[in-house]
């Protein structure tokens, strides 16, 4: 996609969010988006993150999920994989998978956390397609189980948090009230 098309899509999305905000209010929209995230995606990401930890270290599964070619190159022996950059990348990805969903759930740094999660979903999708052979599918073809449709819904929910924030019922809201 060109920057022009992406810009137009972003403006359309922002207009849609503004229209919804006008009807239900930014605080309600922010809370609703965080609740949907907590119900649908928090368990998924938390369980996924747990598969990457082996005691206090990274599991071979973490490397297989995040950097499959590197895991294969070192025969899934995590002690043989160089720290820089591979361990650093996998640790960062694993910590992001733990931290970002929790930050969104409690509403702390909501906009930034949701934006980070959108980036995470994009990277996750690229890894799934390029390294794990998942089929991206076709958008809006009536098969909502396809990867592109699923991830677009996730990004939509997260995008609401980016544009609406966490709402009054969030730590962001509490901190803002304390500051005022």
């Amino acid at each position: 996609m060109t920057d022009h098309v992406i810009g137009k899509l972003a403006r359309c999305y922002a207009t849609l969010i503004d229209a919804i905000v006008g009807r239900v209010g930014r605080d309600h929209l922010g809370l609703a988006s965080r609740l949907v995230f907590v119900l649908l995606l928090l368990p998924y990401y938390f369980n996924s993150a747990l598969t990457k930890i082996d005691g206090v270290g990274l599991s071979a599964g973490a490397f297989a999920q995040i950097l499959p070619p590197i895991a294969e190159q070192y025969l899934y022996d995590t002690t043989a994989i160089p720290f820089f950059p591979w361990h650093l990348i996998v640790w960062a990805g694993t910590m992001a998978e733990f931290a970002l969903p929790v930050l969104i759930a409690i509403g702390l740094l909501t906009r930034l956390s949701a934006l980070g999660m959108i980036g995470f979903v994009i990277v996750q999708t690229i890894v799934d397609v390029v390294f794990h052979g998942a089929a991206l599918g076709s958008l809006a073809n009536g098969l909502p189980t396809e990867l592109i449709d699923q991830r677009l819904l996730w990004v939509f929910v997260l995008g609401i948090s980016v544009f609406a924030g966490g709402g009054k019922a969030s730590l962001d809201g509490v901190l803002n009230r304390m500051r005022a």
Side-chain angles (χ1 to χ4, degrees):
M1 283 192 184
T2 67
D3 290 342
H4 178 71
V5 172
I6 292 172
K8 273 189 158 185
L9 287 173
R11 283 190 297 281
C12 288
Y13 186 74
T15 303
L16 173 65
I17 297 302
D18 285 342
I20 295 170
V21 165
R23 304 286 275 171
V24 298
R26 186 171 302 278
D27 293 325
H28 292 100
L29 187 60
L31 177 60
S33 117
R34 288 189 309 110
L35 287 175
V36 169
F37 178 85
V38 166
L39 289 171
L40 300 178
L41 294 173
L42 182 67
Y44 168 82
Y45 279 110
F46 193 73
N47 288 329
S48 176
L50 287 175
T51 66
K52 295 174 177 72
I53 301 296
D54 185 16
V56 293
L58 294 170
S59 68
F63 288 91
Q65 290 176 51
I66 297 173
L67 298 169
I70 301 302
E72 191 174 309
Q73 178 184 346
Y74 290 95
L75 303 174
Y76 302 94
D77 179 4
T78 58
T79 60
I81 298 173
F83 177 79
F84 188 80
W86 310 123
H87 275 264
L88 197 58
I89 290 168
V90 174
W91 267 115
T94 301
M95 291 302 105
E97 200 166 21
F98 274 115
L100 292 174
V102 170
L103 289 172
I104 292 168
I106 64 175
L108 183 61
L109 303 171
T110 307
R111 294 173 194 263
L112 185 61
S113 299
L115 194 58
M117 234 16 249
I118 289 170
F120 191 93
V121 169
I122 291 168
V123 170
Q124 174 187 13
T125 304
I126 291 167
V127 168
D128 287 347
V129 171
V130 173
F131 296 116
H132 296 292
L136 191 57
S138 299
L139 190 59
N141 64 355
L143 301 172
T145 56
E146 290 193 346
L147 192 65
I148 187 75
D149 294 330
Q150 177 190 66
R151 302 292 165 84
L152 183 60
L153 284 171
W154 295 3
V155 168
F156 181 79
V157 168
L158 290 163
I160 292 171
S161 289
V162 170
F163 285 100
K168 287 182 182 174
S170 67
L171 281 179
D172 289 337
V174 170
L175 293 173
N176 284 336
R177 285 190 299 279
M178 287 173 57
R179 242 184 299 185

